[in-house]
Amino acid sequence: MNVLVIEDEQKLCASIKKVLEENGYSVDIAYDGQIGERLALKRDYDVMIVDIIIPMINGLELCKRIKRTKPAAPIIMLTALGTTEDKVTGLEAGADDYLLKPFEFAELIARMRAVIRRSNISLNATGAVLQFEDLQLDAGKKVVFRGGKEIELTAKEFQLLEYLVNNPGRLISKAELATKVWDIRSDKSSNVVEVYLNILRKKIDRDFEQKLIHNRKGLGYILQKET
Amino acid sequence: MKIRSKLTITFFLLVVVILSLATLSIYFFFADYRESDYFRRLKNRTMNTATLIIEGQLESAELITRFENTNPGHIPPQYIFVFSPELKPIYATKDYPPEIGDPSDLLQRIQEEKEVRVTEGKYQIIGFRFFGKGEQYLVVGAASDTFGQEGLENLEKILLAVFAVSLVFVSIGGWFYAGRFLSPISKVITDVEKITESNLDVRIDHGSGNDEIAKLARTFNNMLGRLEDSFLAQKNFISNASHELRTPIAIISAEIEAALLQTEEGDQNYEVLNSVLENTKSLSHLSTQLLLLAQTSAQNPEQKFPVIRIDDVIWDAKHELEKANPDYTITVDFDLAMDDEAFQVRGDAQLLKVAVINLMDNACKYSDDCQVVVRLAVSSGSFLCVEFVNTGTGIHEEDHEKVFAPFYRGKSSSHTKGYGIGLSLARRIMKLHQGTIGLQSASGSHTTFALFFPTNRIWV
């Protein structure tokens, strides 16, 4: 794995290089935007870590320039600018993730892995589409279509639907859904599953003749064609 | 009281005082003049009649009196009493009214003062010494000034009417002109009211005048300029301080982590490095929270947030907090009536997550079992309510308001890590979202913190 770090704080660079190399990455370092841009465009990196306030070329501008030539290259902004506005400008400039200084290496490495995985998924996104009847789930892009119409779901709603579509025609208990989707292990009765299934049924089934998600009172839920 | 009412009332009272002084002096001067004039005329008449009586022409005197009595425009000595030098009555009008009293009572005073003037009821009485036939007689005349009294009453009515009418005009005119003179101030007030943190660049129209109000407007404008500068300076300071603080902390923590990689567990340095890393983490956490606190106070409370799902925020917060603290148990429970629209609030997901994490973290930290129950419900009215319930030591009644003050740490928190920023930050964040934060606690058993978000939906 090749990583490019564009950061003007030399001490920080040294530590990042040391830790990342320890974790099996090979690290290139640029102390200013100009060298950073040259390296980014010349070589292929699995992920780039870019600070915003750096000499020569500003990190945001640099990010835009890299994305123009290499739109798929994952970029993580690593910066001390912490307001929501800063974060939004960073993401709008094309960054895939935004990590605030000070950071922990465990977090940085986890995020690096996540953006690398995402870029791999989006490269071979075609294989990740699940289908049930006229319902389509794109697990990579996290989008859902029913009858060609896009349905907006939140992350949890998507996870729930994904689990149902992966287990079609099987009666799934409330407890199982609670464990698998929400990681709830306590046996305390909670309305979470019911509330989300109601929301999901409203979004998926309400406007369609053919209902797909069914409630078996006291037993659980099942994804199937209406009989 | 408004200045307009104050001005009107002051003006009104001033005019009342001046007008009453003028009216009263007119009345009294006139009354005084009437009385002395009447006495003068009464004396003349009495002298004439007394001359006739003393000279023995009694019949002519009575004839004149009779004629004169039928003519109210003249001064009749309606009643006349003549006393001889030995103080014996030699003449008295018959049937005189009892108000006049006994004329002989006046004799002593006439002897001493030469002339006596007395008013009894509507009668004016005059007594004086009179020389006729070489001897000194004492004469008393009495009459009522019907004509003059009527004139006086008439004057009284006219004065009262003029007084009342003037007061009506004065109050209406005062109110009108006070409003007219104050209207530029009202305009300045409306203009200034429209200015909030978000449009500090707006200036008030001060016109081309040079009066006090134009000066006031210019003073406001100068103040707005200074405010704008200091707001900008504060904003810049926050982002600069943010950067300046974060960078060195980032370097320290990265260097320690790198150094830890080369240190064996059990090594003497390993413990030291770990403890420094722990403290750096809490320093980093503290600086983040402090900067957020400063940021949220500098943020405009009227800004429009996008619609987000509060349940997403809660799951995110739960995930993050449980990852950082594996011993925490965060249970989420929903009111069965919730649907996707009920979860919608206008907000900044990042900030709300900070508030939710702080409340979850507090609830676990101060509980007996590191557990918190997060309950979402729609409360009566149009509020979405998020409750954080734990069982633990609880919070003393007297601390309920204080826990929201920055850096305040209650009695029960002395054994727990923290700086006392979390709750004040949560409160600021809620204020920014037009929401509120509440607390209910039974000391020694449990505590519930609740967040209330306004929603557009009315729940019944």
Side-chain angles (χ1 to χ4, degrees):
Chain A
M1 292 276 189
N2 294 319
V3 183
L4 173 63
V5 178
I6 307 171
E7 160 72 67
D8 61 333
E9 287 288 342
Q10 307 199 354
K11 282 182 180 173
L12 192 59
C13 283
S15 305
I16 293 176
K17 189 174 162 74
K18 202 186 273 174
V19 176
L20 289 185
E21 280 176 351
E22 199 79 27
N23 280 280
Y25 294 90
S26 94
V27 182
D28 282 347
I29 284 174
Y31 292 127
D32 67 53
Q34 222 163 35
I35 298 171
E37 188 188 14
R38 223 176 293 154
L39 279 173
L41 297 180
K42 206 168 83 186
R43 295 191 195 165
D44 277 327
Y45 291 99
D46 295 289
V47 60
M48 283 173 253
I49 298 165
V50 182
D51 187 8
I52 290 183
I53 304 172
I54 43 174
M56 314 299 274
I57 305 171
N58 175 286
L60 294 172
E61 178 59 29
L62 180 60
C63 186
K64 278 183 205 159
R65 289 193 195 176
I66 296 173
K67 284 284 179 180
R68 220 174 286 148
T69 333
K70 295 181 169 180
I75 296 176
I76 296 176
M77 287 274 168
L78 180 64
T79 170
L81 301 176
T83 63
T84 313
E85 289 158 44
D86 293 329
K87 199 165 179 175
V88 170
T89 20
L91 294 176
E92 273 172 359
D96 297 84
D97 204 349
Y98 194 100
L99 186 60
L100 201 60
K101 287 181 195 171
F103 59 96
E104 285 172 44
F105 276 107
E107 174 104 45
L108 176 64
I109 291 168
R111 297 221 188 178
M112 281 165 62
R113 289 205 184 113
V115 291
I116 293 169
R117 196 170 52 236
R118 250 184 279 154
S119 80
N120 288 342
I121 287 170
S122 59
L123 283 179
N124 1 299
T126 42
V129 178
L130 298 165
Q131 180 128 18
F132 182 82
E133 294 300 318
D134 56 347
L135 190 66
Q136 283 178 315
L137 247 87
D138 188 325
K141 291 180 187 152
K142 306 273 180 209
V143 285
V144 177
F145 292 92
R146 183 161 182 197
K149 208 178 106 191
E150 186 171 353
I151 295 168
E152 271 183 47
L153 296 183
T154 67
K156 283 289 164 192
E157 289 161 7
F158 186 87
Q159 261 179 284
L160 177 61
L161 185 63
E162 192 179 13
Y163 192 77
L164 289 173
V165 174
N166 273 323
N167 297 278
R170 184 165 74 81
L171 186 65
I172 308 165
S173 72
K174 247 174 76 178
E176 183 181 342
L177 286 171
T179 317
K180 296 288 182 184
V181 181
W182 285 276
D183 202 21
I184 298 173
R185 282 169 208 290
S186 72
D187 46 11
K188 265 188 210 158
S189 67
S190 158
N191 291 324
V192 170
V193 177
E194 265 153 287
V195 167
Y196 277 100
L197 269 151
N198 284 340
I199 295 174
L200 205 55
R201 288 168 72 179
K202 183 177 153 194
K203 286 186 175 179
I204 301 287
D205 280 342
R206 195 178 61 183
D207 299 336
F208 294 88
E209 189 73 24
Q210 173 73 269
K211 311 291 179 203
L212 298 178
I213 304 167
H214 304 277
N215 183 7
R216 298 272 180 272
K217 275 243 161 72
L219 298 170
Y221 297 88
I222 186 164
L223 183 77
Q224 63 177 29
K225 263 178 86 171
E226 214 163 16
T227 45
Chain B
M1 204 196 299
K2 278 186 178 174
I3 293 189
R4 189 181 185 179
S5 325
K6 265 190 208 165
L7 272 181
T8 314
I9 289 173
T10 316
F11 180 60
F12 179 80
L13 289 178
L14 192 70
V15 172
V16 166
V17 171
I18 295 173
L19 214 56
S20 0
L21 280 178
T23 311
L24 286 176
S25 41
I26 289 174
Y27 180 81
F28 283 114
F29 282 127
F30 181 77
D32 190 54
Y33 165 75
R34 185 207 58 79
E35 195 181 50
S36 53
D37 181 56
Y38 194 70
F39 271 125
R40 189 172 47 75
R41 282 149 71 198
L42 179 63
K43 189 179 175 184
N44 274 341
R45 274 293 166 202
T46 311
M47 261 153 91
N48 291 345
T49 316
T51 312
L52 289 174
I53 291 168
I54 290 164
E55 280 171 2
Q57 299 174 21
L58 215 60
E59 278 169 20
S60 327
E62 277 179 358
L63 198 62
I64 289 171
T65 309
R66 217 161 65 217
F67 281 147
E68 286 291 342
N69 280 359
T70 56
N71 177 8
H74 281 82
I75 306 277
Q78 280 170 321
Y79 308 102
I80 182 158
F81 311 90
V82 182
F83 297 89
S84 69
E86 295 81 30
L87 301 184
K88 293 270 164 41
I90 47 174
Y91 179 81
T93 318
K94 283 172 201 140
D95 304 327
Y96 62 88
E99 287 120 298
I100 294 176
D102 189 354
S104 52
D105 291 349
L106 288 173
L107 296 180
Q108 182 70 28
R109 279 180 66 194
I110 297 171
Q111 294 270 40
E112 286 163 10
E113 297 169 29
K114 283 187 184 168
E115 186 175 307
V116 176
R117 293 177 173 193
V118 184
T119 305
E120 292 285 354
K122 60 178 183 173
Y123 289 98
Q124 281 177 255
I125 304 161
I126 190 162
F128 52 91
R129 293 184 230 166
F130 182 74
F131 292 93
K133 286 185 174 174
E135 294 210 60
Q136 177 187 275
Y137 294 85
L138 299 185
V139 181
V140 174
S144 79
D145 184 10
T146 326
F147 230 58
Q149 291 290 355
E150 270 173 17
L152 199 61
E153 276 165 28
N154 218 5
L155 177 72
E156 193 181 312
K157 277 182 203 151
I158 291 170
L159 286 178
L160 274 177
V162 169
F163 186 73
V165 171
S166 319
L167 289 192
V168 171
F169 278 113
V170 162
S171 37
I172 294 173
W175 180 251
F176 174 73
Y177 276 101
R180 216 172 119 172
F181 283 120
L182 288 173
S183 75
I185 296 186
S186 306
K187 196 176 160 295
V188 170
I189 291 171
T190 1
D191 283 356
V192 173
E193 266 175 353
K194 283 188 203 136
I195 295 173
T196 61
E197 290 158 50
S198 58
N199 59 349
L200 277 175
D201 53 325
V202 171
R203 292 292 177 268
I204 301 158
D205 177 23
H206 51 71
S208 52
N210 211 8
D211 54 4
E212 280 83 352
I213 290 162
K215 254 186 206 164
L216 178 76
R218 271 198 284 274
T219 313
F220 264 121
N221 282 343
N222 290 340
M223 188 190 72
L224 280 172
R226 289 195 296 272
L227 264 180
E228 195 186 0
D229 288 348
S230 77
F231 254 79
L232 267 179
Q234 196 192 355
K235 259 196 166 160
N236 287 338
F237 169 77
I238 291 167
S239 60
N240 288 340
S242 161
H243 188 251
E244 297 305 319
L245 269 172
R246 279 166 204 278
T247 309
I249 297 176
I251 295 171
I252 294 171
S253 111
E255 283 191 322
I256 299 169
E257 282 205 60
L260 268 171
L261 284 175
Q262 288 165 343
T263 320
E264 298 284 316
E265 206 167 328
D267 192 319
Q268 188 187 340
N269 287 336
Y270 189 83
E271 290 302 311
V272 179
L273 283 175
N274 249 332
S275 133
V276 176
L277 186 60
E278 267 316 298
N279 283 307
T280 315
K281 272 186 203 166
S282 66
L283 181 62
S284 134
H285 180 70
L286 174 63
S287 68
T288 312
Q289 299 257 314
L290 271 179
L291 291 169
L292 271 173
L293 197 65
Q295 250 170 44
T296 45
S297 354
Q299 224 156 332
N300 172 19
E302 279 173 22
Q303 81 187 82
K304 269 277 184 206
F305 290 112
V307 172
I308 56 159
R309 287 271 301 263
I310 193 72
D311 54 326
D312 265 4
V313 173
I314 288 165
W315 293 119
D316 256 16
K318 170 181 150 78
H319 179 71
E320 196 164 299
L321 197 61
E322 282 182 337
K323 210 174 73 183
N325 304 275
D327 50 335
Y328 284 4
T329 310
I330 298 161
T331 313
V332 179
D333 193 13
F334 294 150
D335 185 352
L336 204 55
M338 305 286 287
D339 62 11
D340 55 330
E341 279 166 33
F343 286 129
Q344 284 174 353
V345 293
R346 283 193 170 275
D348 178 328
Q350 292 295 322
L351 287 177
L352 287 176
K353 193 167 105 182
V354 170
V356 169
I357 285 186
N358 277 327
L359 288 174
M360 285 178 173
D361 192 24
N362 273 354
C364 289
K365 256 198 291 195
Y366 299 109
S367 73
D368 303 329
D369 45 10
C370 286
Q371 285 197 20
V372 59
V373 177
V374 182
R375 199 173 288 140
L376 261 85
V378 287
S379 72
S380 58
S382 51
F383 285 101
L384 169 67
C385 168
V386 187
E387 285 181 341
F388 302 80
V389 190
N390 74 351
T391 46
T393 39
I395 297 170
H396 282 284
E397 182 91 43
E398 69 223 48
D399 280 349
H400 280 194
E401 191 45 42
K402 292 184 203 151
V403 290
F404 292 108
F407 300 105
Y408 180 79
R409 308 209 61 214
K411 286 182 195 110
S412 47
S413 59
S414 47
H415 310 297
T416 327
K417 250 174 77 177
Y419 301 95
I421 298 177
L423 282 177
S424 60
L425 182 55
R427 171 131 99 172
R428 289 258 172 94
I429 291 173
M430 286 311 289
K431 205 172 163 194
L432 215 51
H433 288 81
Q434 264 97 45
T436 50
I437 184 168
L439 149 66
Q440 196 185 40
S441 178
S443 194
S445 69
H446 71 274
T447 309
T448 304
F449 278 93
L451 303 180
F452 295 96
F453 292 92
T455 56
N456 297 329
R457 224 157 117 179
I458 306 290
W459 300 91
V460 265

